[in-house]
Amino acid sequence: HELAEVLAGVRKADAGKILLAGRDITHSASLDRWRMGVGYVPAERGEVGSIGDFSLVDNVTMNYYFDDRYVRGGLIDQARMRRLTEQLIAEYSVVTPNPDVKAKNLSGGNLQKLILARVMSRNPRLLIVNLPTQGLDVGATEFVRTKLMEAKKAGAGILLVSEDLEEVLALSDRVAPMYEGEFMGIIPGAQAEREVVGGMMAGLRIEDVQP
């Protein structure tokens, strides 16, 4: 969780550097990172990823309030934001009677779809997704995974943080198991066997589990 937050700019780094395409963004604000093409889907969809008492339109606005295409004279173009929200609701199959519904009234799966739609609609060059399918039913889980693969095929770099080993092995080009906050090594996805990854998750380094 801490790694995802540091990379997204919502937690300060204690040490080290974060480079995006060779540019040092270690001390850049989260808004600056969004403008540079970093997207972030947090694990806590209700507590961090959305504002429950705000409408779906207002929740989508959180990733657009700084965009000149949707702001005129310092004021948000509400009609245009509503059209965008309606488009995203349709494209991501969010079940809701209308975009004026409060975010807290959506099911977990539909809220996650909305958050993913809001972030991915900006076509991020780097997409950080933390536990994107946690607590979702089978249908919503498959939908989220499909959208992530579509983003990858469209050219986005995706950092998937997941506790679901099956998900990691199914979606990843490279797997980097962590133990107590430290990477135990990086394995090409095609070579990431369950036993090897499991051993690294338990604290063994890659040289200890691979011949």
Side-chain angles (χ1 to χ4, degrees), residues 87-190:
Q87 175 186 329
L88 296 180
I89 287 172
E91 182 180 344
Y92 281 74
S93 303
V94 179
V95 178
T96 178
N98 58 68
D100 299 313
V101 168
K102 292 182 178 180
K104 65 181 181 182
N105 293 328
L106 294 183
S107 67
N110 283 299
L111 181 57
Q112 186 71 335
K113 288 180 181 180
L114 182 78
I115 295 170
L116 195 64
R118 181 188 74 202
V119 174
M120 291 180 62
S121 66
R122 296 199 60 81
N123 299 315
R125 61 197 295 195
L126 170 62
L127 179 61
I128 303 165
V129 286
N130 191 3
L131 308 183
T133 60
Q134 180 175 251
L136 303 186
D137 62 28
V138 175
T141 294
E142 186 61 30
F143 184 91
V144 169
R145 291 177 180 176
T146 298
K147 285 298 183 182
L148 292 178
M149 294 304 290
E150 288 177 359
K152 169 190 162 183
K153 291 178 181 178
I158 300 178
L159 177 63
L160 167 66
V161 181
S162 177
E163 297 173 349
D164 185 334
L165 186 53
E166 292 291 344
E167 181 169 78
V168 169
L169 296 179
L171 301 182
S172 304
D173 294 317
R174 287 177 293 278
V175 180
M178 296 183 74
Y179 176 74
E180 294 187 348
E182 182 179 355
F183 287 116
M184 295 292 104
I186 300 177
I187 316 170

Side-chain angles (χ1 to χ4, degrees), residues 12-31:
K12 291 184 178 180
D14 293 328
K17 290 184 178 181
I18 302 170
L19 303 178
L20 178 65
R23 179 176 178 179
D24 189 341
I25 63 169
T26 310
H27 303 294
S28 299
S30 57
L31 176 56

Side-chain angles (χ1 to χ4, degrees), residues 20-89:
L20 178 65
R23 179 176 178 179
D24 189 341
I25 63 169
T26 310
H27 303 294
S28 299
S30 57
L31 176 56
D32 293 330
R33 298 183 198 207
W34 293 347
R35 285 174 167 154
M36 285 185 274
V38 177
Y40 176 47
V41 178
E44 307 84 357
R45 62 183 70 100
E47 297 80 6
V48 179
S50 62
I51 300 178
D53 285 326
F54 281 20
S55 71
L56 305 189
V57 176
D58 289 338
N59 272 275
V60 170
T61 301
M62 289 194 291
N63 274 104
Y64 280 89
Y65 70 91
F66 55 87
D67 192 323
D68 290 340
R69 295 173 299 170
Y70 294 87
V71 178
R72 296 180 179 178
L75 298 176
I76 295 170
D77 186 336
Q78 294 291 346
R80 192 166 189 180
M81 279 307 313
R82 185 182 180 86
R83 288 195 297 271
L84 173 63
T85 303
E86 291 172 339
Q87 175 186 329
L88 296 180
I89 287 172

